[in-house]
PDB file of all heavy atoms in Angstrom:
ATOM      1  N   LYS A   1     162.438 -19.166  -1.121  1.00  0.00           N
ATOM      2  CA  LYS A   1     163.809 -18.856  -0.719  1.00  0.00           C
ATOM      3  C   LYS A   1     164.769 -19.541  -1.687  1.00  0.00           C
ATOM      4  O   LYS A   1     164.492 -20.612  -2.222  1.00  0.00           O
ATOM      5  CB  LYS A   1     164.086 -19.310   0.706  1.00  0.00           C
ATOM      6  CG  LYS A   1     163.897 -20.794   0.953  1.00  0.00           C
ATOM      7  CD  LYS A   1     164.121 -21.132   2.410  1.00  0.00           C
ATOM      8  CE  LYS A   1     163.843 -22.613   2.685  1.00  0.00           C
ATOM      9  NZ  LYS A   1     164.018 -22.946   4.109  1.00  0.00           N
ATOM     10  N   CYS A   2     165.901 -18.905  -1.893  1.00  0.00           N
ATOM     11  CA  CYS A   2     166.910 -19.409  -2.828  1.00  0.00           C
ATOM     12  C   CYS A   2     167.820 -20.397  -2.110  1.00  0.00           C
ATOM     13  O   CYS A   2     168.029 -20.316  -0.886  1.00  0.00           O
ATOM     14  CB  CYS A   2     167.706 -18.248  -3.400  1.00  0.00           C
ATOM     15  SG  CYS A   2     169.004 -18.749  -4.544  1.00  0.00           S
ATOM     16  N   GLY A   3     168.392 -21.340  -2.898  1.00  0.00           N
ATOM     17  CA  GLY A   3     169.293 -22.327  -2.310  1.00  0.00           C
ATOM     18  C   GLY A   3     170.559 -21.719  -1.742  1.00  0.00           C
ATOM     19  O   GLY A   3     171.207 -22.323  -0.882  1.00  0.00           O
ATOM     20  N   ARG A   4     170.926 -20.519  -2.188  1.00  0.00           N
ATOM     21  CA  ARG A   4     172.120 -19.860  -1.676  1.00  0.00           C
ATOM     22  C   ARG A   4     171.994 -19.564  -0.190  1.00  0.00           C
ATOM     23  O   ARG A   4     173.003 -19.567   0.542  1.00  0.00           O
ATOM     24  CB  ARG A   4     172.359 -18.558  -2.444  1.00  0.00           C
ATOM     25  CG  ARG A   4     173.613 -17.803  -2.017  1.00  0.00           C
ATOM     26  CD  ARG A   4     173.704 -16.481  -2.739  1.00  0.00           C
ATOM     27  NE  ARG A   4     173.770 -16.681  -4.186  1.00  0.00           N
ATOM     28  CZ  ARG A   4     173.764 -15.667  -5.062  1.00  0.00           C
ATOM     29  NH1 ARG A   4     173.668 -14.421  -4.626  1.00  0.00           N
ATOM     30  NH2 ARG A   4     173.836 -15.918  -6.353  1.00  0.00           N
ATOM     31  N   GLU A   5     170.762 -19.346   0.286  1.00  0.00           N
ATOM     32  CA  GLU A   5     170.555 -19.028   1.697  1.00  0.00           C
ATOM     33  C   GLU A   5     170.857 -20.216   2.602  1.00  0.00           C
ATOM     34  O   GLU A   5     171.140 -20.039   3.794  1.00  0.00           O
ATOM     35  CB  GLU A   5     169.126 -18.547   1.915  1.00  0.00           C
ATOM     36  CG  GLU A   5     168.768 -17.319   1.096  1.00  0.00           C
ATOM     37  CD  GLU A   5     167.330 -16.892   1.313  1.00  0.00           C
ATOM     38  OE1 GLU A   5     166.787 -17.191   2.392  1.00  0.00           O
ATOM     39  OE2 GLU A   5     166.750 -16.265   0.411  1.00  0.00           O
ATOM     40  N   ILE A   6     170.755 -21.425   2.085  1.00  0.00           N
ATOM     41  CA  ILE A   6     171.035 -22.614   2.887  1.00  0.00           C
ATOM     42  C   ILE A   6     172.290 -23.318   2.363  1.00  0.00           C
ATOM     43  O   ILE A   6     172.460 -24.533   2.537  1.00  0.00           O
ATOM     44  CB  ILE A   6     169.840 -23.576   2.861  1.00  0.00           C
ATOM     45  CG1 ILE A   6     169.424 -23.914   1.421  1.00  0.00           C
ATOM     46  CG2 ILE A   6     168.661 -22.982   3.612  1.00  0.00           C
ATOM     47  CD1 ILE A   6     168.286 -24.919   1.339  1.00  0.00           C
ATOM     48  N   LYS A   7     173.175 -22.521   1.686  1.00  0.00           N
ATOM     49  CA  LYS A   7     174.465 -23.005   1.201  1.00  0.00           C
ATOM     50  C   LYS A   7     174.317 -24.166   0.221  1.00  0.00           C
ATOM     51  O   LYS A   7     175.002 -25.175   0.304  1.00  0.00           O
ATOM     52  CB  LYS A   7     175.345 -23.411   2.372  1.00  0.00           C
ATOM     53  CG  LYS A   7     175.689 -22.258   3.303  1.00  0.00           C
ATOM     54  CD  LYS A   7     176.605 -22.698   4.438  1.00  0.00           C
ATOM     55  CE  LYS A   7     176.942 -21.513   5.346  1.00  0.00           C
ATOM     56  NZ  LYS A   7     177.842 -21.911   6.451  1.00  0.00           N
ATOM     57  N   LYS A   8     173.369 -23.987  -0.710  1.00  0.00           N
ATOM     58  CA  LYS A   8     173.194 -24.967  -1.781  1.00  0.00           C
ATOM     59  C   LYS A   8     173.186 -24.239  -3.120  1.00  0.00           C
ATOM     60  O   LYS A   8     173.455 -23.028  -3.177  1.00  0.00           O
ATOM     61  CB  LYS A   8     171.908 -25.775  -1.582  1.00  0.00           C
ATOM     62  CG  LYS A   8     171.921 -26.696  -0.374  1.00  0.00           C
ATOM     63  CD  LYS A   8     170.686 -27.560  -0.298  1.00  0.00           C
ATOM     64  CE  LYS A   8     170.738 -28.502   0.890  1.00  0.00           C
ATOM     65  NZ  LYS A   8     171.802 -29.520   0.722  1.00  0.00           N
ATOM     66  N   LYS A   9     172.891 -24.940  -4.195  1.00  0.00           N
ATOM     67  CA  LYS A   9     172.915 -24.342  -5.513  1.00  0.00           C
ATOM     68  C   LYS A   9     171.880 -23.228  -5.628  1.00  0.00           C
ATOM     69  O   LYS A   9     170.797 -23.313  -5.056  1.00  0.00           O
ATOM     70  CB  LYS A   9     172.653 -25.403  -6.587  1.00  0.00           C
ATOM     71  CG  LYS A   9     173.736 -26.465  -6.673  1.00  0.00           C
ATOM     72  CD  LYS A   9     173.411 -27.462  -7.780  1.00  0.00           C
ATOM     73  CE  LYS A   9     174.490 -28.526  -7.890  1.00  0.00           C
ATOM     74  NZ  LYS A   9     174.194 -29.494  -8.983  1.00  0.00           N
ATOM     75  N   THR A  10     172.238 -22.200  -6.390  1.00  0.00           N
ATOM     76  CA  THR A  10     171.304 -21.080  -6.569  1.00  0.00           C
ATOM     77  C   THR A  10     170.112 -21.459  -7.427  1.00  0.00           C
ATOM     78  O   THR A  10     169.110 -20.732  -7.453  1.00  0.00           O
ATOM     79  CB  THR A  10     172.043 -19.899  -7.200  1.00  0.00           C
ATOM     80  OG1 THR A  10     172.612 -20.324  -8.463  1.00  0.00           O
ATOM     81  CG2 THR A  10     173.158 -19.383  -6.298  1.00  0.00           C
ATOM     82  N   SER A  11     170.203 -22.574  -8.139  1.00  0.00           N
ATOM     83  CA  SER A  11     169.079 -23.004  -8.978  1.00  0.00           C
ATOM     84  C   SER A  11     168.020 -23.757  -8.184  1.00  0.00           C
ATOM     85  O   SER A  11     166.975 -24.116  -8.724  1.00  0.00           O
ATOM     86  CB  SER A  11     169.592 -23.891 -10.120  1.00  0.00           C
ATOM     87  OG  SER A  11     170.265 -25.038  -9.604  1.00  0.00           O
ATOM     88  N   ILE A  12     168.261 -23.991  -6.901  1.00  0.00           N
ATOM     89  CA  ILE A  12     167.297 -24.698  -6.061  1.00  0.00           C
ATOM     90  C   ILE A  12     166.441 -23.670  -5.338  1.00  0.00           C
ATOM     91  O   ILE A  12     166.949 -22.727  -4.728  1.00  0.00           O
ATOM     92  CB  ILE A  12     168.021 -25.605  -5.038  1.00  0.00           C
ATOM     93  CG1 ILE A  12     168.841 -26.680  -5.768  1.00  0.00           C
ATOM     94  CG2 ILE A  12     167.018 -26.259  -4.094  1.00  0.00           C
ATOM     95  CD1 ILE A  12     169.628 -27.567  -4.838  1.00  0.00           C
ATOM     96  N   TRP A  13     165.149 -23.883  -5.411  1.00  0.00           N
ATOM     97  CA  TRP A  13     164.216 -22.979  -4.751  1.00  0.00           C
ATOM     98  C   TRP A  13     163.255 -23.795  -3.901  1.00  0.00           C
ATOM     99  O   TRP A  13     162.929 -24.931  -4.233  1.00  0.00           O
ATOM    100  CB  TRP A  13     163.427 -22.152  -5.769  1.00  0.00           C
ATOM    101  CG  TRP A  13     164.274 -21.161  -6.504  1.00  0.00           C
ATOM    102  CD1 TRP A  13     165.024 -21.396  -7.628  1.00  0.00           C
ATOM    103  CD2 TRP A  13     164.478 -19.801  -6.175  1.00  0.00           C
ATOM    104  NE1 TRP A  13     165.675 -20.265  -8.011  1.00  0.00           N
ATOM    105  CE2 TRP A  13     165.359 -19.252  -7.139  1.00  0.00           C
ATOM    106  CE3 TRP A  13     164.000 -18.975  -5.161  1.00  0.00           C
ATOM    107  CZ2 TRP A  13     165.767 -17.939  -7.112  1.00  0.00           C
ATOM    108  CZ3 TRP A  13     164.394 -17.659  -5.136  1.00  0.00           C
ATOM    109  CH2 TRP A  13     165.273 -17.145  -6.098  1.00  0.00           C
ATOM    110  N   GLY A  14     162.792 -23.199  -2.816  1.00  0.00           N
ATOM    111  CA  GLY A  14     161.843 -23.873  -1.939  1.00  0.00           C
ATOM    112  C   GLY A  14     160.910 -22.877  -1.289  1.00  0.00           C
ATOM    113  O   GLY A  14     161.188 -21.665  -1.247  1.00  0.00           O
ATOM    114  N   LEU A  15     159.790 -23.373  -0.772  1.00  0.00           N
ATOM    115  CA  LEU A  15     158.841 -22.497  -0.104  1.00  0.00           C
ATOM    116  C   LEU A  15     159.433 -21.985   1.203  1.00  0.00           C
ATOM    117  O   LEU A  15     159.947 -22.745   2.013  1.00  0.00           O
ATOM    118  CB  LEU A  15     157.535 -23.236   0.174  1.00  0.00           C
ATOM    119  CG  LEU A  15     156.537 -23.342  -0.982  1.00  0.00           C
ATOM    120  CD1 LEU A  15     155.355 -24.195  -0.564  1.00  0.00           C
ATOM    121  CD2 LEU A  15     156.060 -21.963  -1.388  1.00  0.00           C
ATOM    122  N   ARG A  16     159.349 -20.671   1.393  1.00  0.00           N
ATOM    123  CA  ARG A  16     159.854 -20.083   2.624  1.00  0.00           C
ATOM    124  C   ARG A  16     158.835 -20.246   3.754  1.00  0.00           C
ATOM    125  O   ARG A  16     159.172 -20.544   4.889  1.00  0.00           O
ATOM    126  CB  ARG A  16     160.145 -18.595   2.408  1.00  0.00           C
ATOM    127  CG  ARG A  16     160.725 -17.894   3.616  1.00  0.00           C
ATOM    128  CD  ARG A  16     160.914 -16.417   3.333  1.00  0.00           C
ATOM    129  NE  ARG A  16     161.799 -16.196   2.197  1.00  0.00           N
ATOM    130  CZ  ARG A  16     163.130 -16.171   2.295  1.00  0.00           C
ATOM    131  NH1 ARG A  16     163.704 -16.356   3.458  1.00  0.00           N
ATOM    132  NH2 ARG A  16     163.864 -15.971   1.232  1.00  0.00           N
ATOM    133  N   VAL A  17     157.578 -20.039   3.436  1.00  0.00           N
ATOM    134  CA  VAL A  17     156.525 -20.137   4.437  1.00  0.00           C
ATOM    135  C   VAL A  17     155.462 -21.092   3.919  1.00  0.00           C
ATOM    136  O   VAL A  17     154.992 -20.956   2.796  1.00  0.00           O
ATOM    137  CB  VAL A  17     155.908 -18.748   4.729  1.00  0.00           C
ATOM    138  CG1 VAL A  17     154.819 -18.878   5.790  1.00  0.00           C
ATOM    139  CG2 VAL A  17     156.978 -17.775   5.201  1.00  0.00           C
ATOM    140  N   ARG A  18     155.069 -22.060   4.739  1.00  0.00           N
ATOM    141  CA  ARG A  18     154.060 -23.043   4.345  1.00  0.00           C
ATOM    142  C   ARG A  18     152.751 -22.829   5.095  1.00  0.00           C
ATOM    143  O   ARG A  18     152.015 -23.760   5.346  1.00  0.00           O
ATOM    144  CB  ARG A  18     154.580 -24.453   4.598  1.00  0.00           C
ATOM    145  CG  ARG A  18     155.781 -24.822   3.743  1.00  0.00           C
ATOM    146  CD  ARG A  18     156.257 -26.233   4.057  1.00  0.00           C
ATOM    147  NE  ARG A  18     157.418 -26.591   3.266  1.00  0.00           N
ATOM    148  CZ  ARG A  18     157.370 -27.150   2.065  1.00  0.00           C
ATOM    149  NH1 ARG A  18     156.202 -27.419   1.537  1.00  0.00           N
ATOM    150  NH2 ARG A  18     158.464 -27.439   1.409  1.00  0.00           N
ATOM    151  N   VAL A  19     152.486 -21.610   5.482  1.00  0.00           N
ATOM    152  CA  VAL A  19     151.250 -21.282   6.198  1.00  0.00           C
ATOM    153  C   VAL A  19     150.535 -20.188   5.423  1.00  0.00           C
ATOM    154  O   VAL A  19     151.125 -19.497   4.598  1.00  0.00           O
ATOM    155  CB  VAL A  19     151.543 -20.807   7.638  1.00  0.00           C
ATOM    156  CG1 VAL A  19     152.159 -21.925   8.447  1.00  0.00           C
ATOM    157  CG2 VAL A  19     152.451 -19.587   7.633  1.00  0.00           C
ATOM    158  N   PRO A  20     149.226 -20.026   5.635  1.00  0.00           N
ATOM    159  CA  PRO A  20     148.490 -18.958   4.957  1.00  0.00           C
ATOM    160  C   PRO A  20     149.061 -17.580   5.294  1.00  0.00           C
ATOM    161  O   PRO A  20     149.678 -17.390   6.350  1.00  0.00           O
ATOM    162  CB  PRO A  20     147.063 -19.111   5.494  1.00  0.00           C
ATOM    163  CG  PRO A  20     146.986 -20.523   5.967  1.00  0.00           C
ATOM    164  CD  PRO A  20     148.340 -20.867   6.466  1.00  0.00           C
ATOM    165  N   PRO A  21     148.876 -16.605   4.417  1.00  0.00           N
ATOM    166  CA  PRO A  21     149.386 -15.257   4.668  1.00  0.00           C
ATOM    167  C   PRO A  21     148.639 -14.589   5.812  1.00  0.00           C
ATOM    168  O   PRO A  21     147.547 -15.025   6.182  1.00  0.00           O
ATOM    169  CB  PRO A  21     149.132 -14.535   3.338  1.00  0.00           C
ATOM    170  CG  PRO A  21     147.979 -15.269   2.742  1.00  0.00           C
ATOM    171  CD  PRO A  21     148.151 -16.700   3.138  1.00  0.00           C
ATOM    172  N   PRO A  22     149.214 -13.539   6.410  1.00  0.00           N
ATOM    173  CA  PRO A  22     148.516 -12.844   7.507  1.00  0.00           C
ATOM    174  C   PRO A  22     147.274 -12.125   7.012  1.00  0.00           C
ATOM    175  O   PRO A  22     147.200 -11.680   5.870  1.00  0.00           O
ATOM    176  CB  PRO A  22     149.576 -11.849   8.021  1.00  0.00           C
ATOM    177  CG  PRO A  22     150.494 -11.642   6.848  1.00  0.00           C
ATOM    178  CD  PRO A  22     150.539 -12.952   6.133  1.00  0.00           C
ATOM    179  N   VAL A  23     146.292 -11.999   7.882  1.00  0.00           N
ATOM    180  CA  VAL A  23     145.046 -11.315   7.556  1.00  0.00           C
ATOM    181  C   VAL A  23     145.266  -9.810   7.613  1.00  0.00           C
ATOM    182  O   VAL A  23     145.899  -9.316   8.548  1.00  0.00           O
ATOM    183  CB  VAL A  23     143.928 -11.719   8.534  1.00  0.00           C
ATOM    184  CG1 VAL A  23     142.642 -10.985   8.214  1.00  0.00           C
ATOM    185  CG2 VAL A  23     143.719 -13.224   8.489  1.00  0.00           C
ATOM    186  N   PRO A  24     144.804  -9.042   6.624  1.00  0.00           N
ATOM    187  CA  PRO A  24     144.970  -7.580   6.664  1.00  0.00           C
ATOM    188  C   PRO A  24     144.306  -6.976   7.897  1.00  0.00           C
ATOM    189  O   PRO A  24     143.196  -7.353   8.272  1.00  0.00           O
ATOM    190  CB  PRO A  24     144.270  -7.109   5.375  1.00  0.00           C
ATOM    191  CG  PRO A  24     144.244  -8.305   4.491  1.00  0.00           C
ATOM    192  CD  PRO A  24     144.144  -9.489   5.389  1.00  0.00           C
ATOM    193  N   ALA A  25     145.006  -6.043   8.533  1.00  0.00           N
ATOM    194  CA  ALA A  25     144.488  -5.398   9.744  1.00  0.00           C
ATOM    195  C   ALA A  25     143.903  -4.039   9.397  1.00  0.00           C
ATOM    196  O   ALA A  25     144.428  -2.992   9.770  1.00  0.00           O
ATOM    197  CB  ALA A  25     145.592  -5.271  10.789  1.00  0.00           C
ATOM    198  N   ILE A  26     142.823  -4.056   8.643  1.00  0.00           N
ATOM    199  CA  ILE A  26     142.151  -2.818   8.237  1.00  0.00           C
ATOM    200  C   ILE A  26     140.704  -2.891   8.696  1.00  0.00           C
ATOM    201  O   ILE A  26     140.038  -3.910   8.504  1.00  0.00           O
ATOM    202  CB  ILE A  26     142.210  -2.617   6.712  1.00  0.00           C
ATOM    203  CG1 ILE A  26     143.663  -2.519   6.236  1.00  0.00           C
ATOM    204  CG2 ILE A  26     141.438  -1.372   6.300  1.00  0.00           C
ATOM    205  CD1 ILE A  26     143.815  -2.412   4.742  1.00  0.00           C
ATOM    206  N   THR A  27     140.226  -1.830   9.309  1.00  0.00           N
ATOM    207  CA  THR A  27     138.850  -1.781   9.781  1.00  0.00           C
ATOM    208  C   THR A  27     138.166  -0.551   9.211  1.00  0.00           C
ATOM    209  O   THR A  27     138.671   0.572   9.348  1.00  0.00           O
ATOM    210  CB  THR A  27     138.793  -1.727  11.318  1.00  0.00           C
ATOM    211  OG1 THR A  27     139.464  -2.884  11.844  1.00  0.00           O
ATOM    212  CG2 THR A  27     137.345  -1.726  11.799  1.00  0.00           C
ATOM    213  N   LEU A  28     137.045  -0.749   8.548  1.00  0.00           N
ATOM    214  CA  LEU A  28     136.278   0.348   7.975  1.00  0.00           C
ATOM    215  C   LEU A  28     135.147   0.732   8.918  1.00  0.00           C
ATOM    216  O   LEU A  28     134.667  -0.098   9.697  1.00  0.00           O
ATOM    217  CB  LEU A  28     135.712  -0.058   6.613  1.00  0.00           C
ATOM    218  CG  LEU A  28     136.720  -0.434   5.530  1.00  0.00           C
ATOM    219  CD1 LEU A  28     135.987  -0.808   4.252  1.00  0.00           C
ATOM    220  CD2 LEU A  28     137.678   0.712   5.259  1.00  0.00           C
ATOM    221  N   PRO A  29     134.680   1.977   8.858  1.00  0.00           N
ATOM    222  CA  PRO A  29     133.516   2.374   9.657  1.00  0.00           C
ATOM    223  C   PRO A  29     132.312   1.506   9.312  1.00  0.00           C
ATOM    224  O   PRO A  29     132.095   1.158   8.160  1.00  0.00           O
ATOM    225  CB  PRO A  29     133.302   3.843   9.253  1.00  0.00           C
ATOM    226  CG  PRO A  29     134.617   4.291   8.721  1.00  0.00           C
ATOM    227  CD  PRO A  29     135.251   3.100   8.095  1.00  0.00           C
ATOM    228  N   TYR A  30     131.529   1.164  10.335  1.00  0.00           N
ATOM    229  CA  TYR A  30     130.419   0.240  10.117  1.00  0.00           C
ATOM    230  C   TYR A  30     129.286   0.878   9.329  1.00  0.00           C
ATOM    231  O   TYR A  30     128.500   0.181   8.706  1.00  0.00           O
ATOM    232  CB  TYR A  30     129.887  -0.262  11.464  1.00  0.00           C
ATOM    233  CG  TYR A  30     128.993  -1.461  11.315  1.00  0.00           C
ATOM    234  CD1 TYR A  30     129.534  -2.709  11.012  1.00  0.00           C
ATOM    235  CD2 TYR A  30     127.618  -1.351  11.462  1.00  0.00           C
ATOM    236  CE1 TYR A  30     128.719  -3.817  10.857  1.00  0.00           C
ATOM    237  CE2 TYR A  30     126.792  -2.458  11.311  1.00  0.00           C
ATOM    238  CZ  TYR A  30     127.347  -3.680  11.006  1.00  0.00           C
ATOM    239  OH  TYR A  30     126.535  -4.767  10.848  1.00  0.00           O
ATOM    240  N   VAL A  31     129.170   2.205   9.359  1.00  0.00           N
ATOM    241  CA  VAL A  31     128.127   2.908   8.613  1.00  0.00           C
ATOM    242  C   VAL A  31     128.774   3.997   7.775  1.00  0.00           C
ATOM    243  O   VAL A  31     129.918   4.396   8.007  1.00  0.00           O
ATOM    244  CB  VAL A  31     127.066   3.521   9.556  1.00  0.00           C
ATOM    245  CG1 VAL A  31     126.315   2.439  10.295  1.00  0.00           C
ATOM    246  CG2 VAL A  31     127.720   4.482  10.545  1.00  0.00           C
ATOM    247  N   GLY A  32     128.019   4.481   6.777  1.00  0.00           N
ATOM    248  CA  GLY A  32     128.500   5.564   5.937  1.00  0.00           C
ATOM    249  C   GLY A  32     129.177   5.064   4.681  1.00  0.00           C
ATOM    250  O   GLY A  32     129.651   3.924   4.618  1.00  0.00           O
ATOM    251  N   PRO A  33     129.217   5.900   3.653  1.00  0.00           N
ATOM    252  CA  PRO A  33     129.857   5.496   2.394  1.00  0.00           C
ATOM    253  C   PRO A  33     131.378   5.442   2.506  1.00  0.00           C
ATOM    254  O   PRO A  33     131.978   6.137   3.332  1.00  0.00           O
ATOM    255  CB  PRO A  33     129.412   6.595   1.421  1.00  0.00           C
ATOM    256  CG  PRO A  33     129.197   7.800   2.307  1.00  0.00           C
ATOM    257  CD  PRO A  33     128.671   7.268   3.605  1.00  0.00           C
ATOM    258  N   ILE A  34     131.989   4.611   1.671  1.00  0.00           N
ATOM    259  CA  ILE A  34     133.436   4.481   1.613  1.00  0.00           C
ATOM    260  C   ILE A  34     133.923   5.122   0.320  1.00  0.00           C
ATOM    261  O   ILE A  34     133.497   4.740  -0.766  1.00  0.00           O
ATOM    262  CB  ILE A  34     133.874   3.009   1.669  1.00  0.00           C
ATOM    263  CG1 ILE A  34     133.351   2.359   2.950  1.00  0.00           C
ATOM    264  CG2 ILE A  34     135.383   2.898   1.610  1.00  0.00           C
ATOM    265  CD1 ILE A  34     133.843   3.006   4.212  1.00  0.00           C
ATOM    266  N   THR A  35     134.788   6.118   0.430  1.00  0.00           N
ATOM    267  CA  THR A  35     135.306   6.831  -0.730  1.00  0.00           C
ATOM    268  C   THR A  35     136.813   6.613  -0.833  1.00  0.00           C
ATOM    269  O   THR A  35     137.447   6.028   0.052  1.00  0.00           O
ATOM    270  CB  THR A  35     135.004   8.333  -0.606  1.00  0.00           C
ATOM    271  OG1 THR A  35     135.666   8.846   0.561  1.00  0.00           O
ATOM    272  CG2 THR A  35     133.502   8.580  -0.470  1.00  0.00           C
ATOM    273  N   GLU A  36     137.394   7.107  -1.932  1.00  0.00           N
ATOM    274  CA  GLU A  36     138.837   6.998  -2.119  1.00  0.00           C
ATOM    275  C   GLU A  36     139.583   7.766  -1.039  1.00  0.00           C
ATOM    276  O   GLU A  36     140.635   7.345  -0.558  1.00  0.00           O
ATOM    277  CB  GLU A  36     139.217   7.513  -3.516  1.00  0.00           C
ATOM    278  CG  GLU A  36     138.705   6.653  -4.661  1.00  0.00           C
ATOM    279  CD  GLU A  36     139.375   5.297  -4.708  1.00  0.00           C
ATOM    280  OE1 GLU A  36     140.487   5.180  -4.160  1.00  0.00           O
ATOM    281  OE2 GLU A  36     138.775   4.371  -5.278  1.00  0.00           O
ATOM    282  N   ASP A  37     139.058   8.930  -0.643  1.00  0.00           N
ATOM    283  CA  ASP A  37     139.714   9.740   0.392  1.00  0.00           C
ATOM    284  C   ASP A  37     139.712   9.015   1.736  1.00  0.00           C
ATOM    285  O   ASP A  37     140.712   9.049   2.470  1.00  0.00           O
ATOM    286  CB  ASP A  37     139.013  11.094   0.519  1.00  0.00           C
ATOM    287  CG  ASP A  37     139.186  11.950  -0.730  1.00  0.00           C
ATOM    288  OD1 ASP A  37     140.171  11.715  -1.459  1.00  0.00           O
ATOM    289  OD2 ASP A  37     138.333  12.821  -0.983  1.00  0.00           O
ATOM    290  N   SER A  38     138.586   8.366   2.072  1.00  0.00           N
ATOM    291  CA  SER A  38     138.539   7.659   3.344  1.00  0.00           C
ATOM    292  C   SER A  38     139.488   6.468   3.348  1.00  0.00           C
ATOM    293  O   SER A  38     140.103   6.160   4.369  1.00  0.00           O
ATOM    294  CB  SER A  38     137.109   7.204   3.633  1.00  0.00           C
ATOM    295  OG  SER A  38     136.662   6.299   2.628  1.00  0.00           O
ATOM    296  N   ILE A  39     139.632   5.796   2.195  1.00  0.00           N
ATOM    297  CA  ILE A  39     140.567   4.671   2.103  1.00  0.00           C
ATOM    298  C   ILE A  39     142.000   5.164   2.298  1.00  0.00           C
ATOM    299  O   ILE A  39     142.798   4.548   3.026  1.00  0.00           O
ATOM    300  CB  ILE A  39     140.418   3.962   0.745  1.00  0.00           C
ATOM    301  CG1 ILE A  39     139.059   3.248   0.656  1.00  0.00           C
ATOM    302  CG2 ILE A  39     141.552   2.948   0.541  1.00  0.00           C
ATOM    303  CD1 ILE A  39     138.909   2.107   1.621  1.00  0.00           C
ATOM    304  N   LYS A  40     142.364   6.286   1.679  1.00  0.00           N
ATOM    305  CA  LYS A  40     143.715   6.833   1.838  1.00  0.00           C
ATOM    306  C   LYS A  40     143.974   7.227   3.280  1.00  0.00           C
ATOM    307  O   LYS A  40     145.066   7.031   3.809  1.00  0.00           O
ATOM    308  CB  LYS A  40     143.891   8.026   0.902  1.00  0.00           C
ATOM    309  CG  LYS A  40     143.910   7.673  -0.576  1.00  0.00           C
ATOM    310  CD  LYS A  40     144.073   8.909  -1.437  1.00  0.00           C
ATOM    311  CE  LYS A  40     144.064   8.540  -2.913  1.00  0.00           C
ATOM    312  NZ  LYS A  40     144.190   9.754  -3.779  1.00  0.00           N
ATOM    313  N   HIS A  41     142.958   7.811   3.936  1.00  0.00           N
ATOM    314  CA  HIS A  41     143.114   8.225   5.328  1.00  0.00           C
ATOM    315  C   HIS A  41     143.335   7.021   6.227  1.00  0.00           C
ATOM    316  O   HIS A  41     144.208   7.049   7.115  1.00  0.00           O
ATOM    317  CB  HIS A  41     141.881   9.010   5.782  1.00  0.00           C
ATOM    318  CG  HIS A  41     141.920   9.409   7.213  1.00  0.00           C
ATOM    319  ND1 HIS A  41     142.756  10.396   7.693  1.00  0.00           N
ATOM    320  CD2 HIS A  41     141.222   8.927   8.305  1.00  0.00           C
ATOM    321  CE1 HIS A  41     142.583  10.522   9.002  1.00  0.00           C
ATOM    322  NE2 HIS A  41     141.657   9.653   9.389  1.00  0.00           N
ATOM    323  N   ILE A  42     142.574   5.936   6.013  1.00  0.00           N
ATOM    324  CA  ILE A  42     142.727   4.736   6.830  1.00  0.00           C
ATOM    325  C   ILE A  42     144.077   4.082   6.578  1.00  0.00           C
ATOM    326  O   ILE A  42     144.759   3.630   7.509  1.00  0.00           O
ATOM    327  CB  ILE A  42     141.575   3.759   6.537  1.00  0.00           C
ATOM    328  CG1 ILE A  42     140.246   4.359   7.010  1.00  0.00           C
ATOM    329  CG2 ILE A  42     141.815   2.415   7.198  1.00  0.00           C
ATOM    330  CD1 ILE A  42     139.041   3.560   6.601  1.00  0.00           C
ATOM    331  N   THR A  43     144.515   4.038   5.319  1.00  0.00           N
ATOM    332  CA  THR A  43     145.813   3.446   4.997  1.00  0.00           C
ATOM    333  C   THR A  43     146.940   4.232   5.638  1.00  0.00           C
ATOM    334  O   THR A  43     147.891   3.655   6.194  1.00  0.00           O
ATOM    335  CB  THR A  43     146.007   3.404   3.478  1.00  0.00           C
ATOM    336  OG1 THR A  43     144.907   2.697   2.880  1.00  0.00           O
ATOM    337  CG2 THR A  43     147.301   2.693   3.112  1.00  0.00           C
ATOM    338  N   LEU A  44     146.880   5.566   5.581  1.00  0.00           N
ATOM    339  CA  LEU A  44     147.903   6.405   6.186  1.00  0.00           C
ATOM    340  C   LEU A  44     147.927   6.232   7.700  1.00  0.00           C
ATOM    341  O   LEU A  44     148.995   6.156   8.311  1.00  0.00           O
ATOM    342  CB  LEU A  44     147.648   7.871   5.815  1.00  0.00           C
ATOM    343  CG  LEU A  44     148.660   8.899   6.341  1.00  0.00           C
ATOM    344  CD1 LEU A  44     150.049   8.596   5.786  1.00  0.00           C
ATOM    345  CD2 LEU A  44     148.238  10.310   5.967  1.00  0.00           C
TER     346      LEU A  44
END
């Protein structure tokens, strides 16, 4: 985050989040091959 957001100098920067990123919520079929088409379908 920029220092402007906390009413300080714009040259000051700090970590916005100090926790690990969220885990992706994607689940693939347990059996069968994975193709580009199946990945696009799951993403959509």
Side-chain angles (χ1 to χ4, degrees):
K1 59 183 176 182
C2 179
R4 182 185 300 175
E5 301 179 26
I6 54 177
K7 297 182 179 181
K8 293 185 178 293
K9 295 181 180 181
T10 58
S11 59
I12 298 177
W13 292 85
L15 278 176
R16 182 183 301 276
V17 181
R18 295 179 181 271
V19 295
V23 179
I26 299 176
T27 302
L28 299 180
Y30 194 74
V31 295
I34 302 300
T35 62
E36 293 292 338
D37 293 336
S38 62
I39 292 294
K40 292 179 181 179
H41 177 72
I42 294 172
T43 304
L44 182 61

